[in-house]
Structures are given as structure tokens and as C-alpha cells.
Amino acid sequence: MAIIQEVRGFTPKIGKDCFLAANAVIVGDVVMGDECSVWFSTVLRGDVNSIRIGNRVNIQDGSVLHTLYQKSTIEIGDDVSIGHNVVIHGAKIRDYALVGMGAVVMDDAVVGEGAIVAAGSVVLSKTQIGPHELWGGCPAKFIKMVEPEKAKEMNEKIARNYLMYSKWYGEQ
């Protein structure tokens, strides 16, 4: 059973039909929408500031979400995919965005709607990634534009797939 822990008077609020892996950790000021999935060894640490997560968001294995005390928060839109072993620290990720495996997104960065952060990239603090842009590298730089419909279609498909995968765990 996932660890859901109150801290500083904040108890995480989990939406309907969410999957929380057995060793996921969700702490403090975290509010999660419906049909989300938080996978194995993932930590959502809302102890020092807030984490807000939309609907149908999948946060894959080994990822860590945290913030800066009294300075940065995390906001994640709908139909967002956060790949395996991602670190998001006090950033905003808009609807239909994808953060690739092993990427790091730092404080006050914004990943625009339908944007993609390539695997292994480091998005520095205060970086503004526009809608439907592909960024990659260390530090991450603009690579090219992504067709809006293709980005939305791809991320809706990933979100649906992760929702399907999460249902497998309830069937045991």
C-alpha cells in the first residue's frame, strides 16, 4: 500500500480512480486529479510547498517531485506524462506535455502545452518552453516545433495506456 502521509497539517488529496503503486510516497500538500497513476518508487513530496496535479497524469517509476520552501510550487496540467526517473523541482508542466525519462526540470521553469522535454535533458530554472516545442540536452535547448495535433494525440495515447496499465493491478 502506498505511503500517504500528512505533514504540517496537510494531508494529500487523491482524485477518483487513481493508481498508487505499493511503494509510492505522497506527502503533505499534494492535490491530484482523477485517473492518475503514481508508479513504483515515486515520491511526491509536498512538505515544503504545494504540488497540484491534473487529470490522467502518469508519473512513472522512480520520479521525484519537490519544491522550494515558500518559493516554488509544482503545477501539472491534464494528460501529462512524466517519464521514469524524472526530477521536477518547483516547475509548471502544462496540458499534454511529456517529460522524457531521466530529465530534470528545475524551479520556476515552464513546459508549455503539448511540449516535449527529451530524455536525459536538464531544463534550468526559469526556462520557458513554449507550446509544442521539443527541447533537449544539458542544459536543454530548443530543437524544433512539434505538430500540435500529433503531440496531443501522442500524449492522450500515453495517458490512456498508463490508465490501462494501472487497471491491471486492481485485477489481481
Side-chain angles (χ1 to χ4, degrees):
M1 178 180 241
I3 297 169
I4 300 173
Q5 183 174 336
E6 177 184 335
V7 68
R8 296 188 321 121
F10 293 101
T11 301
K13 294 176 178 57
I14 311 299
K16 296 181 296 195
D17 299 321
C18 289
F19 167 74
L20 308 177
N23 64 346
V25 178
I26 303 167
V27 175
D29 192 5
V30 176
V31 178
M32 184 182 307
D34 299 334
E35 298 183 312
C36 293
S37 57
V38 180
W39 292 86
F40 298 96
S41 300
T42 294
V43 178
L44 309 182
R45 216 176 110 205
D47 55 353
V48 300
N49 219 329
S50 64
I51 298 174
R52 300 294 180 260
I53 299 168
N55 298 309
R56 295 170 307 281
V57 172
N58 61 88
I59 305 170
Q60 297 169 22
D61 312 71
S63 293
V64 176
L65 280 62
H66 196 239
T67 62
L68 283 175
Y69 182 59
Q70 297 181 336
K71 291 189 177 181
S72 65
T73 61
I74 291 176
E75 296 174 19
I76 298 176
D78 295 334
D79 298 293
V80 170
S81 292
I82 306 296
H84 307 290
N85 294 311
V86 166
V87 174
I88 298 177
H89 204 279
K92 295 175 182 21
I93 315 294
R94 303 294 184 218
D95 296 348
Y96 305 109
L98 168 68
V99 180
M101 292 182 276
V104 176
V105 184
M106 293 303 297
D107 297 283
D108 301 314
V110 176
V111 177
E113 181 174 331
I116 299 172
V117 175
S121 299
V122 177
V123 178
L124 299 177
S125 293
K126 299 185 171 107
T127 300
Q128 303 289 307
I129 297 177
H132 313 294
E133 294 181 354
L134 169 63
W135 282 55
C138 183
K141 304 276 188 220
F142 173 80
I143 296 173
K144 68 177 187 175
M145 296 301 295
V146 179
E147 283 186 47
E149 283 307 309
K150 286 193 179 194
K152 183 177 178 185
E153 180 182 310
M154 177 185 69
N155 277 332
E156 284 179 330
K157 180 180 179 184
I158 293 168
R160 280 192 311 271
N161 284 348
Y162 267 85
L163 184 59
M164 177 182 69
Y165 306 154
S166 71
K167 300 300 181 207
W168 297 343
Y169 291 85
E171 296 170 359
Q172 298 177 21

